[in-house]
Amino acid sequence: MDAHVQQEVTERFVAAAFGGDLDALMGLLAPEVTLWADGGGKSVVGGPRPVRGRDKVARLLVARTARPMEGLDIQYRETNGDPSAVVFVENAPFAVMVVDLTSDGSQVRDIYTVANPDKLSRVRKEPGAD
């Protein structure tokens, strides 16, 4: 997949999710989308099982981001070789999100979210990226 396309779709996905735009999310998510979340039992983001299906994933994302977060900042960068969204709340790492696209690049097929504080302990905000 072209990195530019993946970056652009990642940005649209994050804008829709954190903007609470259910209609935009429904258009971006493939019908068989799966949300894989690692909260490590220490975060409200992520449960023990993956969430499958466009409707369930979209509604979960909108519900989790419905309440405005003070000091929210999202930086786009490469993580483990993939374009990602790194979410900070009040300058502390909150989550790293990576999306995989369908083969034609038109929709999000998988969402991987790491919100486990232990796994985010080395994530730093990049200066001047605001």
Side-chain angles (χ1 to χ4, degrees):
M1 180 60 51
D2 179 281
H4 178 73
V5 170
Q6 188 167 351
Q7 176 78 23
E8 189 266 332
V9 174
T10 298
E11 290 179 15
R12 286 182 25 225
F13 165 77
V14 169
F18 281 90
D21 190 340
L22 185 60
D23 290 336
L25 270 177
M26 294 293 278
L28 280 169
L29 300 176
E32 68 284 353
V33 66
T34 301
L35 170 64
W36 306 87
D38 177 0
K42 299 178 180 184
S43 169
V44 296
V45 178
R49 296 191 182 111
V51 178
R52 300 180 197 283
R54 177 188 290 155
D55 190 60
K56 287 181 183 178
V57 170
R59 291 183 189 286
L60 175 67
L61 289 170
V62 168
R64 294 272 169 92
T65 59
R67 187 175 39 102
M69 296 180 191
E70 292 288 324
L72 178 70
D73 183 36
I74 301 168
Q75 295 184 348
Y76 296 97
R77 60 173 92 156
E78 197 170 284
T79 304
N80 295 333
D82 293 311
S84 67
V86 183
V87 181
F88 294 88
V89 175
E90 295 181 352
N91 294 318
F94 180 75
V96 174
M97 302 174 79
V98 175
V99 299
D100 281 342
L101 306 181
T102 54
S103 59
D104 65 0
S106 66
Q107 292 183 305
V108 174
R109 179 186 68 210
D110 289 293
I111 305 158
Y112 301 92
T113 302
V114 175
N116 181 335
D118 297 334
K119 293 181 179 179
L120 297 174
S121 65
R122 292 186 160 179
V123 175
R124 301 285 179 256
K125 199 168 178 184
E126 292 180 354
D130 294 332

